[in-house]
């Protein structure tokens, strides 16, 4: 009897040992690069990895897939994550249409952090302050050290694992010089003769853009709780708007760079913003901490990454340059222009949406040139897509009191964040609506900026918001509520 | 030399270690503002450092405190030697050697006595194992960076900088020292006093509840001053009179009051995020410093800390701290009180005179040498850097009359020292600050 127990015990132990060894072997086998690549659903991943600084490293060790994409082996998360990742990949391999997976979206910082645990970076890069670290690196790493809970290595070091372009940070002097300097050709701004479309030209630059005359009119604006459009709206509001001009496309990098070049400031001194209306001098934007164009190219692509304040100062600068009154649209103006009386996207087919706007399904994770997109009934392009757009209003969940209608509303008198409207290259189909509204998130969008004061010019963590110019038209007298 | 792994990170990695240490009561756990928990590791507080291979120390800065620090170091245990001296003035080295001769019966040979602004480099090249930094604090960031680069353990006197640029440099050197397993102990002696430590332990386990406010006082008479002599250059006159010049000492809110700032930061478990302060200069005879400060510091959870310091003779003196909590209050030093001022807990000194068995000045060196010899690195750099920055934040608020924030300090480019050190005219701001301009 005792012998039997002993034998059973021995067999059990041998069995356990064999199981342990086979799991160990299995782990080693399933952790090789060749195993990952053999069925990995992301077909370009291995190629972009081979191009990256983590393939051809300075050390004798090449970084393997599992080194970055799984927690370190000592971590208690290792096995759960390994099983999860393996199951997910197998499922995608057998059941998903791989052509339809949006890799660009998955590689955006917000998603990428989920596929590369920070402790894996730290497992190799334990020493954040090597003696040969640059001054700028010291500053950034000290900032990281004191804000570790909010930051991931790839907030700054994106692209080191896949791809040959490092999204490392360069000063804006380079950023401005990166593109060829086109000789300035415009000597004067456009003359507006009557309420019709015109082409604005920025003096001292080669930049011109179309301004569309938006006729006065009224529309009904509905504010929904948290953009839940199936719920009853918080308020419906009849709104009357006077005529104004609005830019056909979102402000382009060319047009934004004209401003940066004109007011360029070297170095890090804090910009002085003169708040009086009669401004004589606008001090220049400080350099961005990073490439604000994300390496996607500039030209006619919409300018992004600027703060609301910078966009506002841009309008003042342009007003001074052109002698007109440029500003950001109010929320009501924006929505009115977007709707263009009848142009509601509710009835659009999928194809129609794709023809009209850059959104998640056709953007490949970045902004696009506006050319070729179908305009709305007013002649405005990409109102609902490519990038979200700043409005001049302070944000409030419900900005209207219960009046029956309002004329030219400008939003609450005070607030902490501003309204942004429209969708972007990252928005899903369900969010590209004229009545979709959000607010800026100032602190969150400056999370990775290690400078202090944090930049007032550039958001370090916002890549999908730009703005569209409005020019005031004083030609017809504005109606007041009494006249209405 | 011991190249241990980053002790703090290793420590955090190992969950079971944390459990064990907490069970043993060896580690204080304090909530920190960034949702992280901050651990406080108590020094071992031995009566003597353990024996080991000879540790040769170099002293950089041979003034009164430097000389004292060397004696404290030699008292700390067996096989400790002082083998190199550095100062900008030869007379300071000679006086230091004279005291060494009197008290310890030996002198550092001439060829290991280095004079000049670059003397610290010569000390690092002279074969020392450890370094004691005791110059005026404006030199500390540069000296510490050089010591860490040379892989030397460091004992450094407080404070560790006079401006935000210096503090950040020290923070980075501290990180590097962590990675190299170097031990850095600073002259904030209260962290090496058993009475304070035991009181902290009570507070850390919640004896006063949640902190609601703090007060501290460093109100004393004037320190000293030296009037310039005709044969001195401006640089020499300033350095010999260093406790009166902001660019050298950081003003007394940093230079002296840092003891209290450090105690309160330690007990509260974080640094303040804002300061509004004022100060004035009434009686000081030389230099450009104030002689009184009163600063309202604010921690992130709306806890106010009022810190007062003065260096004027003939006034009411008081050097003490008080931290109030929801369940009582403490003097930080040795007693926990109930709200009605009755004593809830008091540290037992075991003697009538309420004396610790070892002088805290010796104790900090015992703890430093113990850390080095047992291969369990201690690095107090971040704590003293934060406390120094706290003082700088209060000073700048008093000087300007404006509110100053921690974030501003962490990114401020304020740098007070001249670009190059040489005996002659000194290119620094010598004016007395006027607030509200």
């Amino acid at each position: 009897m005792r012998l039997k127990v002993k034998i059973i015990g021995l067999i059990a132990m041998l069995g356990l040992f064999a199981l342990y060894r086979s799991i160990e072997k299995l782990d080693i086998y399933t952790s090789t690069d060749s195993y990952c690549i053999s069925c990995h659903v992301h077909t370009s991943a291995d190629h972009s990895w081979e191009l990256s600084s983590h393939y051809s490293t300075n050390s004798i060790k090449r970084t393997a897939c599992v080194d970055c994409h799984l927690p370190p082996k000592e971590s208690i998360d290792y096995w759960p994550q390994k099983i999860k990742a393996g199951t997910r990949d197998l499922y995608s391999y057998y059941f998903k249409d791989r052509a339809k997976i949006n890799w660009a979206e998955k590689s955006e910082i917000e998603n990428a952090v989920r596929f590369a645990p920070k402790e894996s970076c730290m497992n190799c890069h334990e020493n954040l302050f090597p003696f040969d670290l640059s001054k700028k690196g010291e500053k950034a790493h000290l900032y990281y050290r004191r804000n570790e809970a909010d930051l991931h290595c790839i907030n700054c070091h994106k692209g080191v694992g896949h791809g040959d372009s490092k999204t490392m940070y360069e000063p804006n002097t380079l950023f401005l010089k990166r593109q060829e300097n086109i000789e300035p050709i415009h000597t004067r701004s456009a003359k507006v003769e009557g309420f019709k479309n015109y082409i604005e030209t920025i003096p001292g630059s080669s930049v011109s853009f179309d301004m569309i005359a938006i006729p006065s009119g009224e529309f009904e604006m509905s504010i929904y709780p948290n953009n839940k459009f199936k719920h009853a709206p918080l308020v419906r509001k009849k709104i009357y708007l006077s005529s104004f001009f609005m830019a056909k496309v979102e402000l382009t990098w060319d047009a934004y760079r004209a401003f940066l070049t004109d007011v360029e400031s070297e170095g890090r001194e804090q910009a002085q913003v003169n708040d009086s209306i009669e401004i004589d001098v606008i001090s220049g934007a400080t350099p961005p901490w990073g490439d604000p164009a994300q390496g996607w190219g500039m030209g006619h692509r919409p300018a992004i990454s600027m703060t609301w304040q910078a966009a506002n100062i841009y309008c003042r600068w342009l007003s001074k340059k052109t002698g007109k009154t440029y500003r950001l649209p109010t929320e009501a103006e924006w929505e009115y222009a977007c709707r263009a009386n009848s142009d509601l996207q509710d009835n659009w087919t999928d194809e129609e949406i794709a023809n009209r706007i850059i959104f998640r399904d056709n953007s490949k994770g970045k902004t696009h040139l506006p050319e070729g997109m179908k305009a709305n009934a007013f002649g405005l392009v990409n109102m609902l897509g490519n990038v979200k757009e700043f409005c001049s209003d302070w944000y409030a969940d419900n900005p209207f009191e219960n009046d029956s209608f309002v004329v030219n509303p400008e939003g609450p008198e005070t607030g902490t964040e501003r309204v942004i409207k429209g969708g972007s290259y990252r928005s899903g189909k369900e969010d590209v609506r004229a009545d979709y509204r959000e607010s800026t998130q100032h602190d969150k969008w400056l999370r990775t900026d290690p400078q202090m004061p944090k930049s007032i010019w550039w958001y370090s963590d916002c890549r999908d918001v730009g703005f569209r110019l409005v020019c005031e038209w004083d030609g017809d007298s504005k109606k007041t509520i009494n006249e209405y | 030399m011991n190249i241990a792994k980053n002790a703090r990170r290793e420590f955090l990695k190992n969950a079971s270690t944390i459990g064990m240490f907490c069970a043993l009561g060896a580690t204080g756990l304090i909530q920190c503002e960034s949702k992280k928990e901050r651990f406080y590791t108590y020094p071992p507080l031995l009566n003597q450092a353990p024996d080991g291979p000879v540790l040769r120390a170099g002293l950089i800065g041979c003034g009164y405190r430097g000389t004292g620090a060397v004696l404290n170091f030699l008292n700390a245990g067996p096989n400790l030697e002082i083998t190199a001296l550095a100062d900008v003035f030869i007379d300071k080295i000679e006086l230091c050697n004279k005291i060494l001769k009197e008290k310890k019966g030996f002198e550092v040979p001439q060829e290991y006595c280095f004079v000049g602004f670059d003397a610290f480099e010569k000390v690092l090249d002279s074969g020392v194992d450890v370094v004691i930094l005791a110059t005026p604090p404006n030199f500390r960031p540069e000296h510490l960076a050089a010591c860490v680069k040379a892989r030397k353990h460091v004992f450094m006197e407080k404070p560790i900088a006079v401006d935000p640029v210096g503090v950040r440099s020290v923070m980075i050197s501290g990180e590097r020292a962590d990675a190299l397993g170097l031990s850095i102990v600073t002259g904030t002696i209260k962290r090496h006093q058993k009475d304070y430590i035991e009181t902290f332990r009570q507070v850390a386990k919640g004896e006063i509840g949640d902190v609601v406010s703090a007060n501290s006082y460093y109100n004393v008479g004037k320190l000293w001053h030296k009037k310039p002599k005709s044969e001195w250059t401006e640089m020499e006159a300033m350095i010999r009179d260093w406790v009166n010049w902001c660019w050298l000492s950081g003003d007394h809110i940093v230079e002296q009051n840092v003891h209290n700032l450090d105690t309160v930061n330690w007990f509260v478990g974080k640094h303040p995020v804002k300061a509004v302060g004022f100060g004035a200069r009434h009686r000081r005879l030389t230099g450009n410093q104030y002689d009184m400060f009163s600063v309202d510091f604010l921690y992130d959870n709306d806890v106010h800390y009022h810190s007062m310091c003065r260096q004027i003779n003939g006034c009411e003196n008081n050097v003490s701290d008080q931290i109030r909590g929801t369940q009582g209050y403490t003097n930080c030093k040795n007693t926990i009180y109930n709200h009605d001022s009755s004593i809830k807990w008091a540290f037992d000194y075991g003697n009538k005179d309420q004396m610790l068995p070892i002088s805290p000045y010796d104790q900090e060196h015992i703890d430093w040498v113990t850390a080095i010899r047992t291969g369990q690195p201690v690095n107090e750099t971040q704590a003293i850097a934060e406390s120094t920055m706290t003082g700088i934040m209060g000073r700048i608020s008093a000087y300007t009359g404006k509110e100053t924030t921690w974030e501003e300090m962490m990114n401020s480019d304020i740098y007070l020292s001249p670009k190059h050190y040489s005996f002659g005219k000194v290119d620094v701001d010598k004016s007395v600050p006027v607030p509200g301009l």
Side-chain angles (χ1 to χ4, degrees):
Chain A
M1 187 63 191
R2 286 189 56 154
L3 188 69
K4 221 175 183 178
V5 171
K6 273 184 186 169
I7 289 169
I8 291 170
L10 193 68
I11 291 169
M13 273 179 62
L14 280 171
L16 279 174
F17 181 71
L19 185 69
Y20 170 75
R21 287 308 296 259
S22 35
I23 288 174
E24 203 178 48
K25 287 268 186 233
L26 184 72
D27 181 33
I28 291 168
Y29 173 67
T30 56
S31 292
T32 57
D33 295 334
S34 51
Y35 178 80
C36 295
I37 293 166
S38 70
C39 91
H40 199 275
V41 291
H42 188 348
T43 42
S44 62
D46 49 321
H47 179 60
S48 59
W49 164 63
E50 281 166 4
L51 289 171
S52 80
S53 55
H54 273 69
Y55 185 86
S56 171
T57 66
N58 290 332
S59 87
I60 51 168
K61 189 176 175 295
R62 193 169 70 204
T63 317
C65 306
V66 293
D67 289 338
C68 297
H69 293 296
L70 287 180
K73 248 187 177 158
E74 312 82 77
S75 166
I76 45 167
D77 264 354
Y78 176 77
W79 276 103
Q81 289 299 328
K82 178 160 183 150
I83 291 164
K84 203 171 140 192
T87 317
R88 190 179 55 216
D89 284 358
L90 281 174
Y91 174 78
S92 303
Y93 185 72
Y94 286 111
F95 300 110
K96 268 196 163 171
D97 181 356
R98 276 173 278 158
K100 283 196 176 160
I101 300 174
N102 189 342
W103 293 112
E105 189 188 357
K106 287 195 190 301
S107 61
E108 288 212 34
I109 292 273
E110 293 75 8
N111 301 317
V113 293
R114 292 177 13 232
F115 301 111
K118 190 161 75 176
E119 63 258 52
S120 305
C121 306
M122 291 299 181
N123 201 32
C124 293
H125 301 276
E126 201 180 6
N127 187 0
L128 292 189
F129 296 91
F131 283 110
D132 58 356
L133 186 65
S134 69
K135 285 282 168 212
K136 202 168 178 180
E138 285 182 352
K139 184 171 193 173
H141 283 186
L142 189 62
Y143 177 79
Y144 168 80
R145 203 35 132 200
R146 305 189 72 81
N147 297 277
E148 277 183 56
D150 297 329
L151 296 171
H152 191 297
C153 306
I154 60 174
N155 281 129
C156 293
H157 300 278
K158 194 175 170 240
V160 291
H162 291 276
D164 55 355
S165 68
K166 286 185 176 182
T167 317
M168 278 302 287
Y169 290 111
E170 50 184 322
N172 89 327
T173 43
L174 282 180
F175 149 69
L176 285 175
K177 283 168 192 153
R178 181 147 20 98
Q179 300 222 332
E180 70 287 3
N181 281 321
I182 305 162
E183 287 298 308
I185 52 169
H186 300 306
T187 52
R188 58 177 63 187
S189 61
K191 195 166 180 209
V192 179
E193 292 164 329
F195 187 64
K196 56 186 184 196
N197 297 357
Y198 68 94
I199 299 173
E200 182 61 284
T201 49
I202 303 179
S205 80
S206 58
V207 177
S208 62
F209 48 85
D210 290 317
M211 295 296 293
I212 308 282
I214 310 289
S216 61
E218 62 176 84
F219 78 111
E220 191 177 77
M221 194 167 160
S222 301
I223 308 275
Y224 291 89
N226 297 324
N227 292 318
K228 289 191 175 110
F229 302 106
K230 283 178 186 151
H231 289 51
L234 292 168
V235 66
R236 283 183 205 276
K237 202 76 190 168
K238 260 211 166 148
I239 289 173
Y240 171 82
L241 288 165
S242 307
S243 312
F244 59 94
F245 296 101
M246 188 177 237
K248 181 181 176 186
V249 298
E250 289 147 339
L251 191 92
T252 63
W253 271 119
D254 279 347
Y256 200 63
R257 285 177 62 236
F259 159 68
L260 294 176
T261 316
D262 194 44
V263 300
E264 181 179 3
S265 79
E266 307 272 343
R268 266 295 309 145
E269 70 272 24
Q270 169 70 0
Q272 298 295 316
V273 182
N274 187 337
D275 274 327
S276 69
I277 298 180
E278 291 299 314
I279 41 172
D280 297 322
V281 179
I282 294 174
S283 73
T286 50
W289 186 266
D291 175 5
Q294 309 295 319
W296 297 338
M298 299 202 203
H300 285 184
R301 275 177 206 269
I304 48 172
S305 309
M306 81 291 289
T307 59
W308 184 92
Q309 188 179 7
N312 199 33
I313 290 169
Y314 181 90
C315 296
R316 287 157 62 181
W317 170 82
L318 187 63
S319 301
K320 219 177 148 41
K321 281 270 163 190
T322 59
K324 304 182 182 69
T325 307
Y326 281 99
R327 57 173 174 77
L328 295 173
T330 66
E331 181 177 6
E333 283 169 346
W334 191 96
E335 187 165 331
Y336 172 69
C338 179
R339 287 173 179 272
N341 294 328
S342 61
D343 214 11
L344 267 181
Q345 74 280 19
D346 289 352
N347 315 320
W348 293 355
T349 61
D350 281 8
E351 195 189 343
E352 186 104 7
I353 297 178
N355 286 339
R356 282 168 176 266
I357 55 174
I358 298 298
F359 71 125
R360 185 163 66 199
D361 293 1
N362 64 2
S363 70
K364 296 197 165 64
K366 51 176 128 172
T367 59
H368 282 247
L369 296 169
E371 283 85 4
M373 304 308 288
K374 193 177 161 193
N376 75 1
F378 281 149
L380 302 167
V381 172
N382 259 332
M383 286 299 284
L384 287 169
N386 220 5
V387 293
K388 296 172 186 175
E389 299 172 19
F390 291 124
C391 294
S392 57
D393 311 39
W394 287 109
Y395 179 85
D397 285 340
N398 182 358
F400 295 116
E401 290 169 16
N402 284 320
D403 291 330
S404 59
F405 63 85
V406 279
V407 175
N408 296 324
E410 292 179 354
E413 281 183 7
T414 56
T416 51
E417 302 284 357
R418 302 284 179 166
V419 172
I420 52 176
K421 290 285 281 181
S424 78
Y425 66 91
R426 297 165 69 183
S427 300
K429 199 166 73 177
E430 62 287 357
D431 294 334
V432 286
R433 297 173 56 106
D435 42 8
Y436 190 82
R437 58 198 299 273
E438 286 175 283
S439 73
T440 53
Q441 296 173 63
H442 191 80
D443 290 347
K444 193 180 157 201
W445 291 351
L446 279 166
R447 206 177 48 177
T448 4
D449 184 353
Q451 307 170 101
M452 187 63 216
K454 283 177 184 285
S455 180
I456 61 167
W457 300 101
W458 299 103
Y459 284 132
S460 52
D461 304 274
C462 171
R463 301 182 301 282
D464 59 353
V465 182
F467 63 101
R468 186 183 298 262
L469 293 165
V470 153
C471 185
E472 292 191 352
W473 166 247
D474 293 328
D476 50 21
S477 63
K478 288 186 179 172
K479 286 189 184 180
T480 66
I481 286 188
N482 292 334
E483 288 172 78
Y484 189 77
Chain B
M1 189 188 300
N2 161 49
I3 309 286
K5 286 245 176 174
N6 178 337
R8 187 182 53 183
R9 205 174 311 138
E10 287 295 301
F11 182 79
L12 287 170
K13 249 187 205 169
N14 195 330
S16 62
T17 320
I18 294 171
M20 189 184 77
F21 269 73
C22 289
L24 291 172
T27 300
L29 184 58
I30 284 182
Q31 290 295 325
C32 178
E33 74 264 46
S34 58
K35 290 157 261 162
K36 269 192 311 190
E37 282 156 350
R38 183 185 288 195
F39 292 88
Y40 186 76
T41 323
Y42 302 97
L45 298 174
L46 306 177
N47 287 347
Q48 200 188 29
D51 203 354
V54 174
L55 280 182
R56 285 155 303 181
L59 170 65
I60 298 170
C62 299
Y64 173 77
R65 181 81 280 272
T67 306
V70 159
L71 295 174
N72 300 134
F73 171 72
L74 295 173
N75 289 342
N79 272 327
L80 301 173
E81 291 178 4
I82 176 86
T83 60
L85 300 178
D87 202 290
V88 287
F89 302 123
I90 185 83
D91 55 301
K92 295 283 176 193
I93 294 178
E94 285 167 351
L95 184 62
C96 179
N97 248 339
K98 185 166 164 255
I99 293 169
L100 279 174
K101 180 100 181 165
E102 280 168 17
K103 303 234 170 173
K104 297 288 174 185
F106 76 93
E107 281 182 332
V108 175
Q110 279 298 309
E111 61 268 34
Y112 288 100
C113 293
F114 306 104
V115 183
F117 287 111
D118 60 349
F120 71 97
E121 290 167 349
K122 295 172 186 162
V123 168
L124 294 176
D125 289 340
S126 72
V128 297
D129 306 304
V130 304
V131 179
I132 297 168
L133 300 181
T135 62
N138 66 304
F139 297 106
R140 200 84 77 249
E142 185 190 2
H143 291 177
L144 178 65
C147 290
V148 171
K149 198 163 189 185
R151 272 76 166 166
K152 307 295 181 200
H153 301 281
V154 177
F155 178 88
M156 55 180 180
E157 284 298 345
K158 44 50 56 179
I160 48 72
V162 296
D163 49 36
V165 171
V167 172
R168 291 199 301 273
S169 163
V170 166
M171 284 176 170
I172 289 164
S173 293
E175 292 278 358
R176 291 195 168 125
D178 256 353
L180 293 167
L182 297 175
S183 281
I184 302 185
V185 168
T186 63
T188 38
I189 50 171
K190 291 169 183 177
R191 292 188 190 246
H192 298 267
Q193 283 181 236
K194 196 163 171 55
D195 43 6
Y196 276 89
I197 289 168
E198 289 304 321
T199 311
F200 173 79
R201 226 191 273 267
Q202 298 297 320
V203 171
K205 74 177 196 208
E207 284 299 288
I208 64 164
D210 297 329
V211 173
V212 293
S213 72
N215 294 74
S216 76
Y217 311 87
Y218 215 120
N219 297 338
V220 292
K222 74 167 276 202
L223 286 185
W224 46 266
H225 75 281
K226 282 214 175 69
K227 290 224 163 118
K229 289 185 182 171
S230 57
E231 66 268 29
W232 290 349
T233 61
E234 188 178 34
M235 179 66 90
E236 177 164 3
M238 280 182 155
I239 296 180
R240 288 193 187 275
D241 189 36
W242 70 273
V243 296
N244 296 295
W245 291 100
C246 184
W247 75 269
L248 282 150
S249 86
D251 211 327
H252 68 104
I253 187 177
V254 177
E255 200 280 318
Q256 189 170 50
N257 191 45
V258 72
H259 279 300
N260 289 5
L261 300 174
D262 184 66
T263 305
V264 175
N265 280 350
W266 169 30
F267 274 62
V268 177
K270 49 186 145 189
H271 59 75
V273 292
K274 279 180 188 171
V276 176
F278 44 79
R281 175 187 171 104
H282 293 299
R283 305 285 302 276
R284 202 171 283 267
L285 297 170
T286 58
N288 64 342
Q289 292 185 181
Y290 283 3
D291 41 26
M292 56 167 77
F293 288 92
S294 171
V295 182
D296 175 32
F297 289 104
L298 185 69
Y299 289 95
D300 64 337
N301 47 356
D302 239 2
V303 167
H304 284 262
Y305 160 34
H306 180 228
S307 168
M308 193 191 263
C309 56
R310 177 168 61 197
Q311 291 183 342
I312 300 179
N313 289 341
C315 299
E316 180 73 22
N317 288 344
N318 177 8
V319 180
S320 67
D321 315 280
Q322 189 186 68
I323 296 178
R324 286 196 170 264
T326 50
Q327 312 288 321
Y329 63 97
T330 179
N331 63 356
C332 300
K333 187 177 180 175
N334 51 23
T335 313
I336 306 271
Y337 299 91
N338 293 308
H339 284 311
D340 64 3
S341 304
S342 60
I343 291 173
K344 191 176 192 178
W345 173 90
F347 175 72
D348 180 11
Y349 288 89
N351 58 52
K352 256 194 261 167
D353 303 331
Q354 300 230 322
M355 291 285 285
L356 292 171
I358 304 282
S359 147
Y361 289 102
D362 285 348
Q363 188 72 56
E364 52 191 3
H365 285 271
I366 292 170
D367 294 343
W368 180 44
V369 174
T370 304
I372 298 167
R373 286 197 167 151
T374 57
Q376 292 177 325
V378 168
N379 187 348
E380 298 180 340
T381 311
Q382 301 308 334
I384 184 62
E386 285 186 4
S387 300
T388 303
M389 193 70 114
T390 305
I392 292 169
M393 178 165 72
R395 179 190 77 210
I396 292 176
S397 176
Y399 278 4
T400 59
K402 307 281 195 297
E403 180 184 85
T404 48
T405 70
W406 185 263
E407 280 212 322
E408 280 164 18
M409 292 301 101
M410 279 307 290
N411 294 275
S412 163
D413 292 331
I414 293 174
Y415 178 77
L416 301 180
S417 298
K419 285 206 174 80
H420 304 287
Y421 293 110
S422 62
F423 285 106
K425 277 282 183 201
V426 185
D427 182 21
V428 295
D429 183 5
K430 295 152 204 163
S431 62
V432 178
V434 181
L437 294 180

